[in-house]
Amino acid sequence: MGPGAFPAFRPRRLRSTPALRRLVADVAVRPGDLVLPMFVREGIPEPVPIAAMPGVVQHTLDSLAAAAVRAVAAGVGGLMVFGVPARKDARGSGADDPDGILNVALRRLASEVGDSTVLMSDLCLDEYTDHGHCGVLAADGVRVDNDATLERYAAMGRAQAEAGAHLLGTSGMMDGQVGAVRTALDAAGFPDTGILAYAPKYASAFYGPFREAVDSSLVGDRRSYQQDPARAVAEALAEVALDVAEGADIVMVKPALPYLDVLRAVADASPVPVAAYQISGEYAMVEAAAQRGWIDRDRAIVETLTGIRRAGASIILTYWAAEVADRELTS
Ligand code: PBG
């Protein structure tokens, strides 16, 4: 039963003053729930702006550390770090090398901000492979070899845990990746290092700007391992169930905005906390429209984050995390 009919019930009453609207608001975006994705690139003397993501840069080790300190001071809940190596090869050797850029950066951040934040690392090969795929290729040079890739992920997981990451972001969409990394971590003496599992992850056009962010040399696409947007929500729930069974501590839905239905279904079903990733293309769309004066930037930022929260995310990865926290741009 509803609360009654017009004119006795007037929904506008509770919208009539800012104080009333604040009182009845159900959804809040809190800085401590936001995670800032950051890029660190090997061998650059100065930070390099990412053209398709105005305001986001590829950091040097020093600028990464400084930006991390600022973001943590502003109150963000965590940092997700991506490495961009100077050299790429077929197996992504830089990924599990203790002297690889991401592992060096994690060690640096662990010593500078480690205890005051949640340090997360991207666990995927695409930043490190010369072909740009998320895994190693099979003998045909085309297909991504699922099980051979799991061995690479296990090695990456050990290296990142050793470097000081608290949560490893398994983003490659290989079957069995969470279990492979969990087993490797436990065997190597890192039972407390957690896994943030990209559970449903769709083959999306909105990753476009990220390719520039990590200097990706991808030829082709990722449709043979990332999900088809045209599949029903049940497939996403199956991915979540698998990842939870394999040991995921948190599951993530990605991208966010075109998949809010998936996010709601996952939030209703998941026994572990649920994150959503507001990805590079979602960021770029708002920035580009705002630059042209077509939308109000601040309101668009808050509205997208509020929508993602309302759909059920407890944690949101967003390139606006530090700014939102710093300027208290919350709903
Ligand atoms: C894989 C990975 C990607 C993103 C995060 N992790 C790229 C992809 O899957 O194609 C995209 C993030 C973004 O677009 O902001 N390492």
Side-chain angles (χ1 to χ4, degrees):
M1 283 296 279
F6 175 81
F9 178 52
R10 290 178 179 269
R12 286 184 52 185
R13 257 184 223 126
L14 294 181
R15 301 174 198 148
S16 54
T17 70
L20 275 165
R21 293 195 293 271
R22 186 180 60 203
L23 180 72
V24 300
D26 297 307
V27 176
V29 175
R30 297 183 306 180
D33 300 327
L34 303 179
V35 173
L36 178 66
M38 307 177 87
F39 303 100
V40 58
R41 178 167 163 191
E42 188 175 18
I44 50 171
E46 297 290 329
V48 177
I50 300 165
M53 301 175 73
V56 181
V57 301
Q58 294 175 325
H59 282 290
T60 66
L61 282 167
D62 286 338
S63 74
L64 178 80
V69 168
R70 282 196 306 274
V72 171
V76 303
L79 309 171
M80 169 65 82
V81 191
F82 295 85
V84 186
R87 257 188 304 273
K88 308 189 184 214
D89 61 22
R91 61 191 291 280
S93 303
D96 55 322
D97 181 347
D99 295 325
I101 182 65
L102 177 55
N103 299 319
V104 170
L106 288 170
R107 248 178 257 121
R108 171 85 180 262
L109 293 179
S111 76
E112 297 209 20
V113 291
D115 292 338
S116 53
T117 192
V118 182
L119 201 52
M120 311 179 196
S121 50
D122 188 52
L123 200 166
C124 188
L125 283 177
D126 66 313
E127 297 97 320
Y128 305 90
T129 52
D130 52 10
H131 46 71
H133 277 293
C134 294
V136 292
L137 301 183
D140 63 7
V142 180
R143 224 170 40 83
V144 174
D145 185 332
N146 191 90
D147 297 8
T149 299
L150 296 183
E151 290 173 32
R152 302 289 299 126
Y153 287 179
M156 275 189 93
R158 283 189 293 268
Q160 293 177 357
E162 192 273 326
H166 301 120
L167 288 175
L168 312 186
T170 49
S171 66
M173 292 307 279
M174 296 302 122
D175 294 337
Q177 62 186 10
V178 173
V181 172
R182 183 70 268 156
T183 302
L185 291 173
D186 292 345
F190 298 106
D192 293 329
T193 304
I195 296 179
L196 168 75
Y198 290 58
K201 176 173 177 179
Y202 291 88
S204 174
F206 295 98
Y207 302 138
F210 180 90
R211 306 265 184 267
E212 181 194 345
V214 299
D215 292 340
S216 170
S217 37
L218 178 69
V219 182
D221 60 53
R222 306 199 197 291
R223 288 179 220 215
S224 74
Y225 42 104
Q226 297 179 345
Q227 288 167 245
D228 181 351
R231 288 292 302 276
V233 165
E235 187 201 32
L237 296 177
E239 287 279 0
V240 168
L242 270 175
D243 285 1
V244 169
E246 291 176 27
D249 298 282
I250 298 173
V251 291
M252 184 152 75
V253 175
K254 179 183 179 193
L257 216 48
Y259 300 92
L260 295 181
D261 56 334
V262 174
L263 179 56
R264 169 44 62 199
V266 169
D268 287 344
S270 175
V272 300
V274 174
Y277 197 149
Q278 183 177 55
I279 61 164
S280 58
E282 299 178 58
Y283 175 89
M285 283 195 297
V286 171
E287 292 288 345
Q291 270 183 7
R292 295 181 173 211
W294 289 352
I295 56 172
D296 179 322
R297 180 177 178 276
D298 288 358
R299 288 189 59 195
I301 291 172
V302 173
E303 188 174 332
T304 56
L305 292 172
T306 302
I308 294 166
R309 277 290 265 160
R310 197 182 58 243
S314 340
I315 301 163
I316 304 176
L317 274 68
T318 172
Y319 298 96
W320 289 305
E323 181 185 348
V324 166
D326 194 44
R327 295 177 53 209
E328 297 178 30
L329 259 188
T330 46
S331 32

